[in-house]
Amino acid sequence: MRKILLLPAALLLTAPAALAQVDTVRATTLPPAQLAEKLYNSGVAKFNQKSYRAALQDFDRALAAKPDFAKAYYNRAAVRYELKDYQPAVQDYDQAIKLDPSTFGSYFGRAQAREALRQPTEAEQDYGKAAELKADYAPAWYYRGALRFEKADYQGAKADFDAAIKADPAYAYAWHDRASTHRQLGNLPAAIQDYTQALKLQPELLPALLNRAATRRRAGDLKGALQDYNDYLAKKQDNALAYTNRGSARYEQGDYKGAVEDFSRAVALDAGYAFAWNNRAAAYLKLEDYKRAEADATKALGLNPQYAEAYLNRGHAREMLRLSDAACQDWRKAGELGLEIGNAHAANSGCGAE
């Protein structure tokens, strides 16, 4: 999000070109308050042009002329944030708040800088103060909600996203993130409704499409999930996760050939994606292609030697390939890694003690 800049004071009129030299001399003799305003206005203009270093110099000079210029501290902080000088930005916001504690933007800006410094607790407090000072400023609620979501305070996050939506009903990201909060709270119908609203407001918000698909799949609506995955992949074909998730939905629907196609696309995009290799192994098992199933499970284990499900699937493939001892070893390993069904398969298949 772009940093908020206070509205600049009225710009001073420039002198005609013929008097430029005289005007330059006169400018140095302006009273400090007027000189500070002139430099401040120049800094704002340069900020808007993204000339951040030049803007920083102007705000430095404005503050040298007028050390109690709260707006200059605020906007110098915004410049420093853009330059990724986060700690100096926090210090400038501190000074702006000290001089004018009633300006919500200083708290919001300091919160963003503190987030960049990985100080979520302090950032959450500042977003809260910004929201207290300006309850109709949706981003303050939204960003605090996001921080609460990240620490698994889903009820608190939902309350903040509610407030963000109340302040700005067209805030697509707030609808999306409230949907994700509903999903974490187990309220799948509400999650689907909020993802749908986010997409109405911003049709190109593709994560909402992908997340609605996953929610519909979790709710047992495989047809709706597949439609969402299809719509997503029609617009974006470079996401291995999307192919893997559609493959999983196809697998659950009994379309094992379609699942293999999707898992194949996933590993073509990301050869290090162990989950997709193992899932393709499971699909090959359903298609009774045991050699390919064994090879894919082995590939998954090469990428993640602690992958219990891959040991289980390879054990099944090896059993069908009449590699009984190797199958028993794989099932036992799956059990050792916490997948109890591996021990059950070993016992039921007559695997002796090692």
Side-chain angles (χ1 to χ4, degrees), residues 78-323:
V79 171
R80 286 175 160 169
Y81 181 91
E82 294 294 339
L83 293 171
K84 302 187 186 327
D85 294 334
Y86 301 122
Q87 190 57 51
V90 167
Q91 292 168 356
D92 275 350
Y93 283 127
D94 289 344
Q95 192 63 25
I97 290 167
K98 180 179 179 181
L99 292 166
D100 183 5
S102 65
T103 302
F104 84 96
S106 295
Y107 290 99
F108 183 84
R110 190 171 69 178
Q112 293 208 303
R114 283 175 160 173
E115 269 205 81
L117 289 168
R118 301 180 187 277
Q119 298 172 354
T121 301
E122 293 83 353
E124 182 181 338
Q125 292 171 351
D126 277 346
Y127 286 132
K129 185 63 177 178
E132 175 187 324
L133 289 169
K134 190 170 176 59
D136 62 349
Y137 187 62
W141 297 107
Y142 171 78
Y143 280 99
R144 189 176 73 171
L147 287 175
R148 287 177 165 179
F149 184 95
E150 288 173 5
K151 68 178 187 179
D153 177 9
Y154 301 122
Q155 292 291 354
K158 180 185 174 299
D160 280 347
F161 295 138
D162 287 345
I165 290 167
K166 180 180 179 181
D168 181 3
Y171 200 162
Y173 284 92
W175 286 98
H176 175 275
D177 287 8
R178 190 175 73 172
S180 296
T181 305
H182 280 308
R183 186 173 161 190
Q184 290 293 335
L185 292 169
N187 192 347
L188 303 185
I192 291 168
Q193 289 176 2
D194 278 359
Y195 286 133
T196 300
Q197 182 63 23
L199 286 163
K200 286 181 180 178
L201 292 166
Q202 194 169 328
E204 296 307 310
L205 187 59
L206 295 186
L209 198 57
L210 200 58
N211 286 330
R212 187 176 69 179
T215 308
R216 283 176 162 168
R217 180 180 158 208
R218 183 174 162 188
D221 179 11
L222 290 179
K223 182 178 179 181
L226 284 168
Q227 184 60 60
D228 280 346
Y229 286 130
N230 291 340
D231 290 346
Y232 178 93
L233 289 166
K235 297 177 181 180
K236 187 173 177 60
Q237 294 85 41
D238 62 351
N239 189 333
L241 174 63
Y243 281 110
T244 300
N245 286 347
R246 187 175 71 175
S248 295
R250 285 177 162 175
Y251 181 96
E252 291 169 14
Q253 199 178 48
D255 178 11
Y256 304 120
K257 288 184 179 180
V260 165
E261 290 174 4
D262 277 344
F263 297 138
S264 297
R265 291 291 297 271
V267 298
L269 288 167
D270 182 0
Y273 195 1
F275 190 77
W277 287 104
N278 179 64
N279 281 7
R280 193 171 71 171
Y284 277 136
L285 282 172
K286 291 292 187 180
L287 293 170
E288 300 182 2
D289 190 339
Y290 303 119
K291 286 187 177 181
R292 283 195 173 99
E294 182 193 25
D296 277 359
T298 299
K299 179 67 175 179
L301 289 166
L303 294 165
N304 180 5
Q306 303 302 307
Y307 198 165
E309 288 81 1
Y311 280 109
L312 185 71
N313 284 333
R314 192 171 69 175
H316 293 331
R318 286 177 165 177
E319 179 187 36
M320 300 308 296
L321 292 169
R322 301 184 187 281
L323 301 172

